Structure formats: C-alpha cells, structure tokens
Amino acid sequence: MMEWKQLLTPQRLGKHEPEDIQYDRTCFQKDCDRIVFSSPFRRLKDKTQVFSLSKNDYIRTRLIHSLEASCVGRSLGRIVGYEIVNRHQLEKYGFSGSDFGDIVSAACLAHDIGNPPFGHSGEDAIRQGFALWYSNINNLGEDFLDKYQKCDFDLFEGNAQGFRILTKIEVPTRKGGMQLTCPTLAAFTKYPRESFIPVNFINKYTGCSIKKYGFFQAEKELFTEVAETVGLIRQNHNAAWWARHPLAFLVEAADDICYSIIDVEDSYRLGYISFSQVYELLGEISGINIDEYDANEAEKVKYLRGKSINQLTREIADIFLKYEDEILAGTFDQHLLSLSKYTSQLEIISAKIRSSVFMHPDVLGMRIAGYEILGRLFADFVDAALHRSQKSELITYMLPEKYRPIPDENDYYKILRITDYIAGMTDSYATSLFQKFSGISLF
C-alpha cells in the first residue's frame, strides 16, 4: 500500500541536501517555475496540438494546451487534496491541499514537453523512420542494439522523451537535470514502465498504465530512484514496471478533459463544425440551457466549454476520492474519465472530432507532411551520427554541437542524441530544415 506521506516527499531527484525553504514558494511551486522558464517548454508554442502551423491565432498550440491542462490539474489536485489531507490528518506532516494542486499542475505543465513536432504523427514518424532505416542497414554487428534499446526506438514515445528532458537534457551538467521533486516526476509519468517487458511478465494485464512506456533505458536508473523515493509499488521485480503514482491519474484526467472539450471549441473556430453541433456535443455535459445566455455564438461556445470543463473536473475529483483505497493499493488502473456518467457523450465527441477534423484534408495533409519531414531528417541524421553515408560529415556539421556524436559513445546513445534533436524541433524549424535538405529553400 502506498502512503501519502512518502508519495508527497519534497525530495528532489539528484539532490540530497535538505530543501532550501522559501516561505514565498513551496518546493512544488518551484517545480512549476522551473518548467515554465525552461527552453523546451517555450518551444511548445510552435508545436502542433491538433492544427499544425495554423494561421488562426486563436487555435491552441501545445503550449496553450499545457497551460490550460495545468489549470484544470491544479483544480483537480486541490479539490482532492483538501479532502485527503483531512482524511489522513496530513497537516501534521506539513502538507496542505494546495500541495496536491501544485504537484498536478507542474506535471500537467510538463506532460507534453517531450512531444516531437507535428503532434502524435511526429511520434509515428520517428518510429517508422527508425524501422525503415534499421531495415536498410547492414553489417552493424550483433551488439549494435540490444532488444531493450531497440524497443526504445521501435516504440518511440514522447512521454519517455519528456522524462529524459526533465531529468537529463535541460540541465545536463548535474544529476537529475532540472532536479524537480520526485512526486512531480512520478505524477508526470503516466506509464511507469520500460519499453520492453516480456509477454509472460505482463500476463494479460490490461491496465491503462501499461499501454505505453515512460522512460528510456538511458533513464531507467533515474526513474527507479524516483519510484523508490516516493514508494511506488513494483509490479514485477524482473522488469522496470511500477504502479502509477496516484496523482498521475489526475494529470491524465486533466489532459483528457482539456483536449476532449477544447477540440470542440477549436473545431468550431476553424469552421469544421457548426454552433448547433457544438451545443449537441456539449449541452448535456455543461448542464445549461444556452438559450438563456444572452450572447453571440462565439461567446456561447466559450460558456459551454467552461461549464463542461467545470462539470467534468468536479466529477473526476469525486471518482478519485471514491477509489482512493484501490489507487493507493495499486489495484486501480483505469482512466478516471472512463467512469464518468458522461462517458457515452465523450465517446460521441471523440468520434465527431475524428471524422470532422482529424480526417479533414487540411489536417491529413499536415500529418502526411510530418511523416515525410521527420522520417527524412531522422534517416539523414542517424546515418551521419554513425558515419554511414558519403554526406555524413557535412550533415554532422548541421547538428548543434551538443547533439553531435561523441567518438567513445555507444551507438544507442548516438541515436538517442538524434531523437533528442528531432523531438526538440518545432514544426517551423523542422519544416525549414527539411526544405534546405531537399533543395527547396537554400537561404
């Protein structure tokens, strides 16, 4: 059974001296500040949420989505936190309900920080880029990549890239990178497992936390330290696989609430769906009669969006509190929204957005372009890192110095440096670089 006192420890990854207490900021508020002031967070302003390189300034980018999810996460954390503090008398250990909100808020701020350009298509492009590149190479030897390392690239995951950014890339000169608190890092990690786990270890396990993975082999020891510090339950002692930190469920829910509801608003703004369709999708969840609200259609859509998010936030907090014991025992492993009374309506929203937006030619075109751009860049840069083409030396000089291969470094880390570079690109930068490589734009 996990215990809140340990789950909320202020211990920072890579830092063993006591926290420098500042009465104007708690350690978890410092986590929020460190993320906001980081370079990878700023780059989210030019990364796809749904609509890549949109000329409509109203439409959300990854940056705006992360800020909005952080607001919802803070509310979820505080509602839950004040009740749990009372249930377990945690105030005697110095914890408050706002600590819960700050942890969830910080983790939500960072939840997309590892996503490559062009949204989820970018992740697919890197996976396919690696698969195609790997299938076309010869004479690398049996020890080129072991099955664990190869699986990191076969299943390339933005969540794992995010953990790597937070714990190593952003401040590479010190252990723990940004040295966020272990509770924030654990809450950030929705999939607390390595990429390769033998099938017989999983043994038909179907929980939502195993659908993806949360850290690369390169950061496995760092996540192990996080898990042990906060007291996560290990699912299998022969694999790097743990039960989620309880607050990871709230991070996931905040993300799900935001993109489910806000995609409807953005779709309306871009003209993909009508106002009547918005009301049909959000009317039941919002619980309001929009005809009683005296405003234009755009303002009514904002009102429907706000009320819907508020309704879902309060309901999800109640669901979390209902299942607290099972969550702490590590036996609960479902999306909190899947238990909502609005589940069927959320499924209708998902289907509508997919058919009207994700399959729209404008969006499909950008997704296809993402595959072409990142697949080409990945193959060229990996060839350069491993010196496998005649133009390798030239391309190597195109790499910023910190991403260039180090002679004594093994091939796994050389490839990882390339994924660091590509995943860190913005949509505009990746597009511009691709054009240069293709001879479309030389200046």
Side-chain angles (χ1 to χ4, degrees):
M1 180 76 86
M2 292 179 277
E3 297 184 1
W4 285 113
K5 182 181 177 183
Q6 187 174 3
L7 289 165
L8 301 173
T9 176
Q11 180 65 49
R12 295 191 176 280
L13 179 64
K15 188 175 182 179
H16 299 293
E17 59 269 26
E19 178 75 8
D20 179 20
I21 302 299
Q22 295 181 7
Y23 293 101
D24 56 333
R25 288 191 304 160
T26 68
C27 57
F28 305 124
Q29 289 170 340
K30 290 180 188 176
D31 285 347
C32 290
D33 295 346
R34 291 183 184 193
I35 293 165
V36 167
F37 281 90
S38 70
S39 298
F41 184 75
R42 288 196 300 277
R43 286 198 295 271
L44 293 175
K45 74 180 185 299
D46 188 19
K47 288 198 176 187
T48 296
Q49 175 60 20
V50 175
F51 309 99
S52 184
L53 302 175
S54 174
K55 293 181 175 60
N56 186 328
D57 289 341
Y58 184 89
I59 303 306
R60 272 92 174 170
T61 61
R62 286 278 177 191
L63 178 65
I64 300 304
H65 167 70
S66 297
L67 291 168
E68 291 176 335
S70 179
C71 292
V72 174
R74 182 184 60 219
S75 297
L76 274 171
R78 289 192 174 198
I79 295 169
V80 164
Y82 285 115
E83 175 60 27
I84 288 177
V85 165
N86 289 332
R87 285 184 183 181
H88 300 277
Q89 292 81 51
L90 294 178
E91 68 280 347
K92 64 185 177 184
Y93 301 112
F95 297 117
S96 72
S98 62
D99 289 329
F100 287 72
D102 292 337
I103 293 169
V104 179
S105 178
C108 285
L109 279 173
H111 83 280
D112 274 347
I113 206 165
N115 278 34
F118 304 107
H120 292 297
S121 294
E123 290 176 300
D124 290 339
I126 292 175
R127 293 171 196 142
Q128 292 191 17
F130 174 77
L132 182 61
W133 175 84
Y134 192 84
S135 68
N136 289 330
I137 58 177
N138 298 299
N139 304 318
L140 285 175
E142 295 181 0
D143 298 329
F144 171 55
L145 294 175
D146 65 35
K147 61 185 178 183
Y148 295 90
Q149 294 170 338
K150 183 173 180 293
C151 198
D152 281 353
F153 301 120
D154 283 335
L155 305 176
F156 176 81
E157 181 56 52
N159 291 284
Q161 186 67 30
F163 186 81
R164 179 169 166 79
I165 287 170
L166 297 175
T167 62
K168 188 171 289 183
I169 294 176
E170 178 60 4
V171 189
T173 56
R174 66 186 185 190
K175 181 184 176 183
M178 293 173 69
Q179 293 189 337
L180 302 180
T181 62
C182 289
T184 291
L185 289 169
F188 165 86
T189 309
K190 296 187 291 184
Y191 308 102
R193 51 156 289 191
E194 60 189 330
S195 61
F196 179 82
I197 298 179
V199 175
N200 61 308
F201 287 6
I202 296 174
N203 196 26
K204 298 182 180 179
Y205 185 86
T206 59
C208 64
S209 68
I210 204 170
K211 301 300 182 185
K212 302 179 182 180
Y213 70 97
F215 48 88
F216 298 122
Q217 289 300 300
E219 286 72 53
K220 181 162 67 173
E221 289 185 7
L222 288 174
F223 186 79
T224 299
E225 184 175 337
V226 169
E228 291 176 350
T229 299
V230 300
L232 301 187
I233 296 170
R234 192 146 192 169
Q235 300 282 40
N236 189 298
H237 290 285
N238 294 313
W241 172 25
W242 289 264
R244 277 181 176 177
H245 188 290
L247 298 185
F249 289 100
L250 297 183
V251 174
E252 178 180 65
D255 181 26
D256 291 348
I257 289 170
C258 283
Y259 75 69
S260 295
I261 303 303
I262 287 170
D263 281 357
V264 175
E265 182 181 16
D266 280 354
S267 299
Y268 166 78
R269 284 282 181 166
L270 285 172
Y272 291 133
I273 61 176
S274 66
F275 172 75
S276 61
Q277 289 174 315
V278 172
Y279 189 40
E280 182 180 340
L281 294 173
L282 299 184
E284 181 181 347
I285 298 175
S286 67
I288 61 174
N289 181 356
I290 199 63
D291 293 331
E292 296 176 356
Y293 185 57
D294 185 20
N296 61 37
E297 285 187 353
E299 291 301 314
K300 287 182 178 181
V301 170
K302 290 181 185 178
Y303 191 51
L304 285 164
R305 175 254 297 160
K307 286 293 186 181
S308 296
I309 289 175
N310 184 63
Q311 287 277 80
L312 289 172
T313 297
R314 294 193 172 279
E315 185 195 22
I316 291 304
D318 289 340
I319 292 170
F320 182 94
L321 291 168
K322 177 181 177 181
Y323 289 96
E324 182 198 357
D325 289 344
E326 292 93 330
I327 291 171
L328 290 174
T331 57
F332 180 93
D333 197 7
Q334 302 177 58
H335 297 290
L336 293 174
L337 268 184
S338 70
L339 301 175
S340 168
K341 63 184 177 182
Y342 301 111
T343 298
S344 61
Q345 190 61 27
L346 290 168
E347 290 173 349
I348 292 171
I349 290 173
S350 178
K352 180 62 178 177
I353 296 301
R354 177 170 177 77
S355 63
S356 298
V357 179
F358 286 94
M359 304 309 292
H360 190 280
D362 292 346
V363 176
L364 287 174
M366 291 308 303
R367 291 170 64 188
I368 293 168
Y371 279 101
E372 294 296 321
I373 291 169
L374 296 192
R376 165 73 181 278
L377 294 178
F378 180 89
D380 281 350
F381 279 122
V382 171
D383 274 345
L386 300 181
H387 303 292
R388 294 191 54 80
S389 70
Q390 292 182 346
K391 60 181 180 181
S392 291
E393 186 175 357
L394 295 176
I395 293 178
T396 298
Y397 286 115
M398 292 287 288
L399 282 167
E401 189 170 348
K402 70 176 182 177
Y403 299 114
R404 293 178 187 175
I406 298 173
D408 295 335
E409 201 169 42
N410 69 35
D411 292 331
Y412 170 70
Y413 286 96
K414 288 178 181 177
I415 299 174
L416 206 53
R417 283 176 179 272
I418 301 305
T419 58
D420 289 341
Y421 181 43
I422 291 176
M425 293 178 180
T426 62
D427 292 16
S428 298
Y429 181 85
T431 301
S432 175
L433 191 60
F434 174 78
Q435 290 173 338
K436 286 184 177 181
F437 274 31
S438 303
I440 299 170
S441 173
L442 298 178
F443 304 100

